[in-house]
Amino acid sequence: MVMFPNFGTRWNLLQRTADWMNGKDVAYVILAGALVDGRHIEKERKKLSQKINAAEKKIEALEALLDSTKAKSDNKKDAAVDRMAAEREISALNEKTAAYTGFLDELNVENMAKVLAKKIPAFRNRNGTVNLHVFLSPCHDKAVGEQVAEELKRLRDDIIVYPGSGRVQAEQAHQKTIEVLVPNRRPWYSAYDSTPVDRILNAHLAQSVKAPPDLYLIGSMGVNIDFPQHQGGSVPYVTVPSLFNFQYGDDDRYGHEIGAVVLTMTGDSPEPQVNLRSLNDFVADELRNIRLPSSLTKRQSRLIAELQGNKNAELTTGLLAKRTGLTENEVRKSLEPLVNRNYRRPKNWPGLRYDDGSRLWSLDKFGLSDLKYPPLFKDNSLTTDRLVAFGCPHFGSTRTTYEYALRGIPKSIIDSGATTMVIAGDVAEGNKHNLVEKREVYAGMWISEQEELAGRIIGRICLDVFSHRWSKTNVSGQRRLSPKDRDSVLKAVDEALISVEMIHGNHDDWQMEQGHEPLVITLACAKKFIAQRIFRMLEADGRHSFLATSIMDLIERKFHVPEDDGLFTLASGLKVGIIHPHMGGAKTKTIRIQSAMDMYQNCPLVIVANFHSAVSCGRWRPVLGQQFGLQLGTLKTGSAFEHFLMKSVHHGWAVVSLKSRKGRLIDVNSNFEHAPANHQPELDPKKPFKDLLKKLGINDDDLK
């Protein structure tokens, strides 16, 4: 969403996006709807035409009055005064008419196309210029948008225009097909980001006769959502944020996320890697970037600095006087010469507005489209946290993908360089609700056995990561170590171990009814599993027992169960809120994760699990900055309970990279990884019974 020439248009947002994407070596650039604001253009054209007509009629009346005074007036002195007043008013009206005509001329198709051709930056990769695919949204761009886009194509041969929703065959992205959806009608506002998005997608799915694409990319919503494929084989979708300052829009339906996303698609996964770059912070502080004219007096500069620094960008005369120590009369005298008239716009800065009704001074929104923002932060100035998260593994269940998880999760941690693993509850399956009788628990395992299984699996994941990283250290393979080598060895062990943040869920909490604390056995078994094998590795390398106690302390510190508030802190200092709500899911995809994000308003990252439904979304908050919500699926392929609720679960885990600066989240790179759709359970719940029949020789093998 660029929404030219709306008051919220910011050309430098496009330039900063190009700066970022050009460094990513992108192969395709897509603008998903709202190149222009057709509604604003129609409204402004009508308003300006009315003003021109009114001014012209008034000029005609004044000229007629002049003619009549020449012919009828007996008092020559009074007539001369009347004529001078009328001539001054005619001159002012002519000036207004000329200005309004100029503004109206700016809104003709050719002139708007020229501005767009000049202002839209070129996108490049290492092979040269990258085409910009512009999809027009009928409800935002309207008919005038099509006319402007046609003229723009003529001026820029790197711009490809689609009249509405359409498909891009991404030849350079493993032959993936991306279907870009833009709204035909302006969506209603919703408290939940996914509601208007799903309306568009569901309407499209109901009418489409084409084979489904590999990915839906949904634009003109001003929100950022990543909804992955579930086990039923759905097509994933991603929504893109806006490049438009919503604060100055004339509608409440534009969304709230400002920024851009880069999608990385691979041939072996249906899920894109989604890299979100938030630009909301630029827009929030944009008034500070206004360069004031050198002609301003010190008093005027001081008053405008107060407006620039005020959160609401507007102040009354009294407040300005109080903050600067001036009198109200001095404030008015200083600022009145800087107020824009309806037919005058300053060239080098926005100028001021004064509203008689509210008595508020503010910087004029007319002149903000060319604001210059600071350069993007370079990656080496940002702190990076990397983590892998999963929830609801339900260890002990007959439907958990044990082998797939044991192969995939360590690989994801190693490939991403993650230093933290998050497990968001329901670690064990539990034995409530007749799960044993329903054959949902393998071999009728007791809860203590389920927790031991969980501990061994978590330990195995951690150990696989440790083994890989240990083999890359300088001390791996060295022999004949002495106590003086203790610090270097322990440092290498510490860096090779992954931190684990784990909470318990409602399935884990069932044992509390018998007075048992959840996860105690799991934690003990995981630590023991890791320690025993690390000691064996060190012994094989000729290490000595003087390291044993210190290594146990290291392993102990790597496991952390947050308190009931679910808060922990990443290495960068970013706070993370993690919760496993004791409640059911909902059809509205983002309702639960948004509720959690509202609960943890001081946490840049919020993680939720329990619903066996995965989704991520972004939300910018004025105090906190960018916030990212991650709702996790499950390591199960489903359950009988969910099957009869007609629900397909989201399987898998999430890989997340967070880049921050001074506690504010700047860049998020995330993707969901999971088993193929319709992945079959790995365990046969009847296997213990079948094994007994075979052992006793009373099965039917002799009949084969």
Side-chain angles (χ1 to χ4, degrees):
M1 296 176 77
V2 176
M3 299 292 281
F4 173 69
N6 193 297
F7 303 133
T9 300
R10 297 291 182 270
W11 296 117
N12 213 229
L13 288 178
L14 264 172
Q15 184 58 58
R16 292 292 169 261
T17 299
D19 295 341
W20 178 60
M21 288 187 173
N22 292 347
K24 294 283 183 180
D25 199 36
V26 296
Y28 302 88
V29 180
I30 294 172
L31 175 63
L35 174 67
V36 305
D37 186 348
R39 183 167 169 264
H40 175 83
I41 293 168
E42 291 171 355
K43 188 169 71 174
E44 286 297 303
R45 281 176 171 177
K46 183 177 179 180
K47 186 166 70 175
L48 288 168
S49 296
Q50 288 173 343
K51 286 182 176 181
I52 291 169
N53 290 336
E56 287 175 344
K57 287 180 180 178
K58 199 164 185 180
I59 289 170
E60 285 180 17
L62 287 169
E63 287 175 342
L65 182 64
L66 278 176
D67 292 340
S68 65
T69 54
K70 285 179 184 178
K72 298 178 181 178
S73 179
D74 296 327
N75 188 328
K76 292 183 180 180
K77 186 176 180 181
D78 290 344
V81 171
D82 290 343
R83 281 198 300 274
M84 287 176 65
E87 285 168 356
R88 280 196 300 271
E89 190 169 357
I90 288 171
S91 177
L93 286 168
N94 280 326
E95 185 183 352
K96 285 184 180 181
T97 303
Y100 294 147
T101 303
F103 299 155
L104 188 60
D105 190 51
E106 290 176 5
L107 297 178
N108 72 40
V109 169
E110 291 77 14
N111 286 336
M112 286 191 290
K114 286 177 182 176
V115 173
L116 286 165
K118 180 181 178 182
K119 296 288 189 179
I120 295 175
F123 293 85
R124 295 183 175 86
N125 61 20
R126 57 188 169 187
N127 297 320
T129 302
V130 178
N131 288 336
L132 173 62
H133 299 258
V134 176
F135 290 80
L136 302 178
S137 170
C139 66
H140 292 305
D141 293 283
K142 294 185 172 291
V144 66
E146 289 191 38
Q147 297 167 5
V148 172
E150 283 300 315
E151 181 65 18
L152 178 60
K153 276 197 312 183
R154 190 181 66 79
L155 299 172
R156 289 272 299 266
D157 57 8
D158 61 331
I159 292 178
I160 301 170
V161 176
Y162 302 74
S165 300
R167 292 192 174 193
V168 174
Q169 186 66 45
E171 299 286 339
Q172 299 178 54
H174 303 277
Q175 304 291 320
K176 298 282 179 120
T177 302
I178 302 170
E179 182 144 10
V180 181
L181 300 182
V182 291
N184 292 320
R185 288 183 292 181
R186 290 161 65 233
W188 289 104
Y189 170 79
S190 173
Y192 304 110
D193 293 352
S194 60
T195 299
V197 174
D198 284 338
R199 285 194 187 120
I200 292 173
L201 180 60
N202 292 336
H204 171 79
L205 293 175
Q207 298 170 354
S208 178
V209 295
K210 297 178 182 177
D214 295 296
L215 175 74
Y216 285 110
L217 188 70
I218 304 172
S220 298
M221 297 285 105
V223 296
N224 175 234
I225 300 172
D226 179 10
F227 187 72
Q229 182 187 71
H230 57 57
Q231 279 293 292
S234 63
V235 176
Y237 75 68
V238 174
T239 68
V240 294
S242 172
L243 292 173
F244 165 75
N245 187 345
F246 304 108
Q247 179 183 351
Y248 294 100
D250 53 2
D251 201 310
D252 60 1
R253 310 181 194 188
Y254 294 136
H256 52 80
E257 285 294 289
I258 301 173
V261 294
V262 168
L263 308 181
T264 303
M265 306 184 76
T266 61
D268 57 355
S269 172
E271 305 301 336
Q273 187 179 89
V274 182
N275 189 183
L276 167 67
R277 186 70 174 221
S278 173
L279 298 175
N280 284 79
D281 279 348
F282 281 154
V283 171
D285 293 329
E286 67 179 13
L287 296 183
R288 297 180 185 275
N289 298 316
I290 295 174
R291 295 182 179 179
L292 303 182
S294 57
S295 58
L296 296 183
T297 66
K298 288 183 178 179
R299 183 176 288 177
Q300 288 173 329
S301 298
R302 186 178 171 193
L303 289 164
I304 292 169
E306 287 294 331
L307 290 174
Q308 287 178 293
N310 185 53
K311 290 181 180 179
N312 298 320
E314 51 188 19
L315 290 168
T316 61
T317 304
L319 280 173
L320 281 168
K322 186 177 180 180
R323 292 186 180 190
T324 57
L326 302 172
T327 66
E328 291 190 13
N329 191 43
E330 287 173 329
V331 170
R332 279 190 290 269
K333 282 186 176 180
S334 297
L335 294 185
E336 279 173 358
L338 306 178
V339 173
N340 295 338
R341 306 306 171 193
N342 287 334
Y343 56 94
R344 289 179 187 155
R345 297 180 190 168
K347 292 182 179 180
N348 300 320
W349 73 297
L352 298 183
R353 284 271 168 184
Y354 180 72
D355 183 73
D356 290 320
S358 61
R359 300 178 183 178
L360 285 169
W361 300 90
S362 62
L363 289 153
D364 195 344
K365 61 185 179 181
F366 274 100
L368 298 176
S369 62
D370 284 315
L371 269 179
K372 297 292 188 293
Y373 298 122
L376 295 172
F377 295 122
K378 294 182 178 179
D379 281 350
N380 59 12
S381 70
L382 304 177
T383 304
T384 302
D385 295 291
R386 297 182 178 90
L387 57 92
V388 168
F390 61 89
C392 305
H394 293 278
F395 294 125
S397 168
T398 57
R399 297 171 184 255
T400 296
T401 54
Y402 300 97
E403 294 178 8
Y404 194 90
L406 281 170
R407 288 194 309 270
I409 295 176
K411 184 177 186 304
S412 293
I413 293 171
I414 291 167
D415 291 348
S416 66
T419 55
T420 303
M421 180 169 69
V422 177
I423 306 173
D426 280 358
V427 178
E429 174 71 337
N431 290 340
K432 207 172 179 181
H433 300 305
N434 305 111
L435 290 175
V436 173
E437 291 83 350
K438 294 174 182 176
R439 288 180 171 157
E440 292 280 343
V441 176
Y442 188 71
M445 274 189 274
W446 291 357
I447 188 64
S448 57
E449 293 171 318
Q450 294 177 34
E451 284 220 1
E452 180 181 347
L453 174 66
R456 286 175 173 270
I457 291 172
I458 293 166
R460 180 80 260 170
I461 292 170
C462 295
L463 194 69
D464 286 353
V465 174
F466 175 86
S467 299
H468 175 84
R469 291 178 176 172
W470 177 257
S471 68
K472 307 293 183 184
T473 63
N474 293 329
V475 296
S476 174
Q478 292 182 22
R479 295 181 179 274
R480 298 180 183 177
L481 289 176
S482 64
K484 69 179 182 181
D485 300 306
R486 176 181 176 277
D487 290 345
S488 61
V489 175
L490 290 178
K491 183 175 184 293
V493 171
D494 184 50
E495 291 174 352
L497 283 169
I498 188 166
S499 298
V500 179
E501 299 284 345
M502 179 164 41
I503 64 170
H504 45 86
N506 53 303
H507 280 239
D508 305 305
D509 291 346
W510 291 341
Q511 59 185 295
M512 294 172 72
E513 296 174 6
Q514 284 78 46
H516 301 158
E517 185 177 349
L519 303 184
V520 171
I521 297 174
T522 295
L523 288 166
C525 289
K527 294 170 188 175
K528 180 182 177 182
F529 187 94
I530 297 167
Q532 287 177 330
R533 285 152 182 83
I534 288 179
F535 292 153
R536 181 168 293 181
M537 289 170 61
L538 293 176
E539 287 171 7
D541 278 353
R543 304 305 194 269
H544 296 281
S545 59
F546 65 82
L547 295 170
T549 303
S550 299
I551 289 175
M552 276 305 304
D553 289 342
L554 279 179
I555 294 171
E556 195 72 35
R557 289 199 297 270
K558 288 294 181 179
F559 283 83
H560 178 233
V561 178
E563 301 295 331
D564 289 341
D565 59 8
L567 294 173
F568 69 93
T569 305
L570 295 170
S572 66
L574 290 182
K575 288 185 178 179
V576 181
I578 176 172
I579 188 170
H580 190 104
H582 292 200
M583 63 197 308
K587 282 286 188 182
T588 303
K589 293 182 175 68
T590 60
I591 187 172
R592 300 302 186 213
I593 186 59
Q594 285 187 237
S595 296
M597 292 165 78
D598 289 340
M599 177 180 174
Y600 291 111
Q601 291 197 25
N602 64 334
C603 294
L605 176 62
V606 179
I607 299 174
V608 173
N610 187 29
F611 312 113
H612 295 192
S613 176
V615 68
S616 69
C617 65
R619 169 79 54 165
W620 186 85
R621 299 185 185 277
V623 176
L624 174 69
Q626 186 63 42
Q627 187 182 40
F628 186 70
L630 184 65
Q631 182 172 302
L632 300 167
T634 175
L635 294 187
K636 295 172 68 173
T637 56
S639 64
F641 174 75
E642 286 158 321
H643 174 76
F644 289 108
L645 287 176
M646 298 183 290
K647 174 184 176 181
S648 291
V649 305
H650 281 110
H651 174 271
W653 53 91
V655 182
V656 183
S657 171
L658 308 169
K659 293 181 180 179
S660 61
R661 190 173 189 272
K662 296 181 179 179
R664 290 182 82 84
L665 189 56
I666 305 295
D667 184 290
V668 182
N669 201 328
S670 65
N671 67 290
F672 292 101
E673 298 188 4
H674 55 78
N678 302 308
H679 185 74
Q680 296 302 306
E682 296 171 357
L683 296 179
D684 179 0
K686 295 184 179 181
K687 189 175 187 300
F689 176 65
K690 291 176 181 178
D691 287 346
L692 177 61
L693 293 180
K694 186 174 182 178
K695 182 177 181 180
L696 297 175
I698 56 175
N699 60 2
D700 293 332
D701 284 354
D702 58 325
L703 300 178
K704 293 180 181 178

